[in-house]
Every structure is written in C-alpha cells, then in structure tokens.
Amino acid sequence: MDSGTSQRTAGVPHTGTENAEAMRKAAEHSSRRVTVPFLGTLELPPTDELAYLAGVVTLGVAGVVDWPVVAVLVTGHVLAHNRHVIFLRDFGRALERA
C-alpha cells in the first residue's frame, strides 16, 4: 500500500455496499455474455472453466474417456462451481450487512 492510498482512506470506514459492488464487478469481469439468435443472451463461465469443459468433452469425443465418465466430470464441475457462486453471493450479502 502506498502512502497516497493510506492517506486517502485513513479514518474513512469502508461500507459493505462498496465491497459488494467490488465483488459484483469482479464476477462480471470473469464471465462472458454471448447473444445467440433464437436463444437470447447466454452467460458463459470464465475462460479457464471453458477450457476444462472443452478438454473433458474432447477426451470423450476422441474415445479416450467413456461418455458416462465425461458426464460425471462435467456434472461434478458444474455443481462445485455453483456451490462456489452461492458461497460468494452469501459472502457479498454478509458484507453488505456489515
């Protein structure tokens, strides 16, 4: 932390709303939105998650991994990601109340 930052924020309490807004911006920054004709706007996961999912599906298409295993890996990944999102949402709400 530089001295300019500490001087600007010294004695000024941070609000939960500022923290929640920062978390919202970070979440928006890490996701992509794609408009698909006839389907509307789809929100895609971050690039690293897309790469993982594409890799698993590619292994299934190449026959390296059986499709039931691909389904389990993708489902597990999606469930873990959803749990992480729920945790971050609850954490953001707690910051807003603080």
Side-chain angles (χ1 to χ4, degrees), residues 55-87:
V56 170
V57 170
T58 301
L59 291 174
V61 169
V64 176
V65 177
D66 292 331
W67 282 105
V69 175
V70 170
V72 167
L73 290 173
V74 168
T75 302
H77 182 77
V78 168
L79 290 173
H81 175 72
N82 286 345
R83 182 68 192 137
H84 180 70
V85 169
I86 290 169
F87 169 76

Side-chain angles (χ1 to χ4, degrees), residues 14-86:
H14 292 282
T15 67
T17 305
E18 290 172 347
N19 294 333
E21 180 67 18
M23 288 182 67
R24 186 189 61 75
K25 285 181 181 179
E28 285 179 0
H29 185 284
S30 68
S31 65
R32 309 263 186 249
R33 292 181 187 208
V34 177
T35 302
V36 179
F38 306 110
L39 292 178
T41 302
L42 301 175
E43 189 168 330
L44 298 176
T47 309
D48 58 336
E49 288 186 41
L50 282 177
Y52 171 80
L53 296 172
V56 170
V57 170
T58 301
L59 291 174
V61 169
V64 176
V65 177
D66 292 331
W67 282 105
V69 175
V70 170
V72 167
L73 290 173
V74 168
T75 302
H77 182 77
V78 168
L79 290 173
H81 175 72
N82 286 345
R83 182 68 192 137
H84 180 70
V85 169
I86 290 169

